[in-house]
Amino acid sequence: MKRRDFMLATGFAAGALMLPRMSFGAEGVIDVYFTSDQNVIDFWTNTVKPAFEAANSGITLNLVDGGDGAGVSAIADRALAALASGSDPQADLFEGFDSRVTVDGIAKGLYVDFEKAGLSNYSKINPLAFDIPTNLPYRGSQVLLAYDTTKLDPANVPKTWADLVAWIKANPGQFIYNRPNKGGSGGNFVRRAIFEANGNDPTKFSVDNYTQESGDAMLNPAWDILKDLAPSLFDGGAYTSGNTQSIQLLSQSAVTMIPAWSDQTLSAIAQGALPETTGLVQLQDLGLPGGFTKLAVLSNGANKDAALKLADFLLTEEIQSAVLTELGGYPGVSWDHVSAELRERFADIIPTTIPTFPGGDWEKAVNDGWYRAVAPNVDPAS
Amino acid sequence: MTASDQIGSVTPVRRRPYGLLLVATPVLLVAWLVIWPIISAVIQTVWTTTPQGQGAVSLDTYSFFFSDGYSLSNLSMTLWTTGVCAVLLLVVCLPIALYLRFSNTRVAVYVQGLAIFPMFVPSIILSFAFIRVLGPNGTVDLLLNSVGLPHIRSPYLTPWGPVIGLVWDNIPLTVLILLSGLGSVSNQAVEAARDVGAGTLALLWHIILPRISNSILVAISFAVLGIFSAFTLPYILGPAAPEMMGPFMQRTFRELLEPKTAITQAVVTFGFCIVFGLFYVRSVAKNRAA
């Protein structure tokens, strides 16, 4: 053997030995990356992981907190590069993820198409939750109004959109919602205004019916509603930059009412971040919309089949019921597919329909349109 | 290498390649991780594919940016914030630096510790602490109310929110750079000026400022570069619109899924930052020559 070849060979061997073991996607270990908050990861650790591992011996879950959407989409970008080079992406499943985020990811086949994946529970999914075939919805939650009962008597709390608008105008500075792209609580408040401007009919919006013209025709009236509200909002038209900041303003008693996620508010009250005197109310004419959390499975992951098994497992009655009881969320499957006992127990609290607003082009139009039409009308120096 | 090279390396002239070798790693890294992404970003924004599948040079994304009122107001907001922050930083930090340079008391040690402290506070924590302290019904409000003063109008969610946060965040670096500049002002020069009857202002204007003008320039360039592309503080503390370029680029990229527009915004931002970068490079070069 020539000296150069020898050096190369030993170099490779030494390099391989030095590589940390974790750097290979291990056989039988599903690497799950989360964009969701700690309460969701806790739910997986305490409920999903033990149940799945007990049902599938030899397969274990490695749950990794990806930080936020940007953190996980960076891992997805790496997986796309791995797909091109035929190497191991070292990841299998992304939780709380929209596969559209990876530029060219869907076109290049990075994500499993769930319509063709043959999941036995796929047909149980709530029809409202479907987005695109590479996103699998598995849990949902809804936005409601959280308010300070010491300042607003629960008997007088607004229960329709018209009452809410009247209340906001009668109590200037006591309401704030966050920027629609920075958190679902404000995002879904804005979407509720869009429904209001379109006859309270969520079926008018679907993931594939956005066009520039229909977008302008349907969204511009909603921007007018929101612009009309702006001077009566906190600080004459300020918008927080996230769900948490809105909750902080409510807890500092700076405002009286905010839109908030049901599960986030309940846990904030439980942890003392919001006082016990916080009241919750849902609009009765049409609820504030909710959303479904989706996941994506990598087509080039080392444990793709096991990850699909896990995705199917998440849609079983066992886990979907636990989403209700343990996580405080809503099931991703239709209500017919959770146990009858639970269906009865939650019937009063949870409406049988959650208005949903499609993602994709509509979401883009909302995120762009609100910033251009509603937000700048606020004079920052006012 | 040959033996003659090694012998030759004793002479100063032949030693030069070794020096270049020593800097080769950082230079290559900068070329690979900084220069190349810049070039590739510029190419991506000007190179488009026509419907016929042919490549063409087009400045559409730039003409959109510079004709779009919303983008322009974001840009001018960024310039305003950067300018105000730079002025405030100088106003706040120069007295601190002067005090630290000319005071030998024990208090100065604590002041220095306090001035450097913001360096160790992550900006996300600073943001939420800011809401707690300066936000509506925050600590300042409660203290004022307790002595019967009215509510302040909170800077939270106004353009002044990020300004206060960014100034606080940039104090350590600015103070340190100014302090190192003040090291070149000798005590003798100050005493000599005092002996001939120079007042405090004359001393500052004629003796101290000319000697630290370079440091001021460097400090301002550093602060401006950081502030121009700041993300966390403007995002959490600032108004929804107009946005600063940092949150604007992030939103365009992540939520509008328009990478090309986002890169265009980044190139425009870079164009402004490079001006201050050149200031810095020029002042370093001047220093080396001197």
Side-chain angles (χ1 to χ4, degrees), chain A residues 74-89 102 108 110 300:
Chain A
I75 293 164
D77 290 341
R78 248 178 33 194
L80 185 65
L83 181 71
S85 64
S87 51
D88 179 0
T102 315
K108 289 186 178 160
L110 179 63
N300 60 340

Side-chain angles (χ1 to χ4, degrees), chain A residues 145-147 152 157-158 164 167 174-176 250 255-259:
Chain A
L145 299 169
Y147 64 99
L152 175 62
V157 81
L164 178 63
W167 182 85
Q174 292 303 312
F175 188 86
I176 192 165
L250 181 64
V255 293
T256 304
M257 191 190 284
I258 57 166

Side-chain angles (χ1 to χ4, degrees), chain A residues 73 179 181 252-253 372 382, chain B residues 68 136-137 153 238 251 255:
Chain A
S73 69
R179 301 162 205 176
N181 62 325
Q252 283 179 210
S253 198
R372 286 174 179 276
S382 68
Chain B
D68 177 35
N137 288 353
R153 188 177 179 281
R251 190 169 66 83
E255 268 116 30

Side-chain angles (χ1 to χ4, degrees), chain A residues 28-359:
Chain A
V29 179
I30 307 175
D31 292 311
V32 183
Y33 285 83
F34 290 84
T35 66
S36 297
D37 292 330
Q38 193 59 43
N39 63 327
V40 174
I41 301 174
D42 289 346
F43 169 71
W44 277 64
T45 310
N46 299 330
T47 308
V48 177
K49 186 175 154 83
F52 182 73
E53 287 173 359
N56 299 275
S57 61
I59 305 180
T60 52
L61 300 187
N62 177 32
L63 309 178
V64 189
D65 185 355
D68 58 1
V72 172
S73 69
I75 293 164
D77 290 341
R78 248 178 33 194
L80 185 65
L83 181 71
S85 64
S87 51
D88 179 0
Q90 299 157 26
D92 298 294
L93 192 146
F94 298 141
E95 192 273 353
F97 185 75
D98 182 351
S99 53
R100 283 186 197 87
V101 170
T102 315
V103 178
D104 284 345
I106 299 172
K108 289 186 178 160
L110 179 63
Y111 298 106
V112 169
D113 181 338
F114 290 105
E115 268 175 12
K116 296 178 188 137
L119 301 186
S120 62
N121 295 317
Y122 191 68
S123 57
K124 293 181 186 169
I125 293 175
N126 190 337
L128 286 170
F130 281 114
D131 181 16
I132 51 172
T134 49
N135 287 348
L136 184 75
Y138 85 101
R139 63 181 172 89
S141 51
Q142 190 167 9
V143 171
L144 24 77
L145 299 169
Y147 64 99
D148 186 342
T149 52
T150 59
K151 291 202 264 176
L152 175 62
D153 185 352
N156 302 329
V157 81
K159 292 214 170 67
T160 62
W161 178 265
D163 288 352
L164 178 63
V165 169
W167 182 85
I168 291 172
K169 287 189 171 173
N171 299 275
Q174 292 303 312
F175 188 86
I176 192 165
Y177 66 92
N178 67 266
R179 301 162 205 176
N181 62 325
K182 301 296 186 198
S185 63
N188 284 317
F189 178 79
V190 168
R191 284 157 175 72
R192 178 65 182 79
I194 295 170
F195 290 149
E196 186 68 26
N198 289 282
N200 278 347
D201 183 6
T203 58
K204 282 186 183 169
F205 300 86
S206 72
V207 71
D208 49 11
N209 75 347
Y210 177 82
T211 60
Q212 181 73 46
E213 294 78 46
S214 64
D216 288 346
M218 292 161 91
L219 296 182
N220 287 346
W223 304 149
D224 292 337
I225 294 180
L226 292 170
K227 267 191 281 190
D228 180 44
L229 278 183
S232 310
L233 296 177
F234 174 75
D235 213 6
Y239 307 93
T240 52
S241 51
N243 304 326
T244 318
Q245 290 91 319
S246 294
I247 287 180
Q248 189 168 358
L249 286 186
L250 181 64
S251 77
Q252 283 179 210
S253 198
V255 293
T256 304
M257 191 190 284
I258 57 166
W261 283 112
S262 55
D263 49 347
Q264 197 177 15
T265 315
L266 289 173
S267 63
I269 296 172
Q271 289 162 2
L274 279 175
E276 301 256 325
T277 50
T278 307
L280 295 173
V281 66
Q282 181 61 271
L283 296 182
Q284 299 304 312
D285 48 348
L286 178 72
L288 290 163
F292 288 88
T293 303
K294 287 128 189 175
L295 52 84
V297 171
L298 287 172
S299 63
N300 60 340
N303 302 290
K304 179 187 146 194
D305 294 335
L308 283 175
K309 212 182 255 182
L310 171 63
D312 206 20
F313 183 74
L314 288 169
L315 299 174
T316 57
E317 192 180 302
E318 177 187 0
I319 298 298
Q320 290 296 317
S321 301
V323 165
L324 264 168
T325 53
E326 307 293 322
L327 191 61
Y330 297 154
V333 297
S334 299
W335 284 85
D336 310 337
H337 297 289
V338 294
S339 73
E341 181 248 328
L342 281 178
R343 209 160 48 226
E344 212 150 287
R345 197 173 118 202
F346 285 92
D348 295 340
I349 313 168
I350 299 164
T352 42
T353 57
I354 308 176
T356 54
F357 190 83

Side-chain angles (χ1 to χ4, degrees), chain B residues 11-238:
Chain B
T11 65
V13 180
R14 290 276 186 100
R15 198 184 273 162
R16 282 167 97 187
Y18 294 98
L20 286 181
L21 268 180
L22 284 174
V23 297
T25 314
V27 167
L28 284 176
L29 276 176
V30 166
W32 176 37
L33 295 175
V34 180
I35 310 280
W36 168 243
I38 294 170
I39 296 172
S40 105
V42 173
I43 293 175
Q44 276 183 56
T45 50
V46 298
W47 188 256
T48 50
T49 315
T50 59
Q52 290 80 35
Q54 280 155 350
V57 174
S58 150
L59 293 174
D60 283 356
T61 54
Y62 290 93
S63 58
F64 172 75
F65 184 94
F66 287 106
S67 61
D68 177 35
Y70 185 67
S71 304
L72 286 178
S73 75
N74 288 344
L75 181 63
S76 63
M77 166 79 167
T78 311
L79 287 169
W80 177 87
T81 308
T82 311
V84 170
C85 283
V87 172
L88 284 179
L89 268 174
L90 212 56
V91 171
V92 171
C93 295
L94 197 56
I96 299 179
L98 285 169
Y99 171 72
L100 292 177
R101 165 68 182 81
F102 292 107
S103 169
N104 296 318
T105 59
R106 211 173 153 67
V107 182
V109 180
Y110 295 113
V111 172
Q112 177 154 11
L114 210 58
I116 306 306
F117 175 68
M119 199 174 246
F120 305 103
V121 182
S123 43
I124 187 92
I125 292 177
L126 166 64
S127 308
F128 280 89
F130 180 102
I131 304 178
R132 273 278 145 120
V133 176
L134 284 174
N137 288 353
T139 316
V140 172
D141 245 2
L142 295 182
L143 289 176
L144 289 179
N145 292 346
S146 65
V147 294
L149 290 167
H151 272 278
I152 53 162
R153 188 177 179 281
S154 169
Y156 174 49
L157 298 177
T158 74
W160 289 99
V163 167
I164 297 173
L166 286 167
V167 166
W168 195 80
D169 213 27
N170 277 289
I171 284 176
L173 189 66
T174 314
V175 165
L176 284 178
I177 296 174
L178 289 179
L179 207 50
S180 81
L182 282 167
S184 67
V185 181
S186 67
N187 284 342
Q188 287 93 323
V190 174
E191 279 156 23
R194 280 222 174 102
D195 286 345
V196 295
T200 315
L201 274 182
L203 194 65
L204 183 68
W205 191 253
H206 293 291
I207 305 292
I208 296 174
L209 281 185
R211 283 183 166 74
I212 63 164
S213 59
N214 219 19
S215 301
I216 292 178
L217 206 61
V218 171
I220 292 300
S221 320
F222 266 59
V224 161
L225 289 177
I227 291 167
F228 206 93
S229 53
F231 176 75
T232 311
L233 290 163
Y235 162 49
I236 297 185
L237 300 177

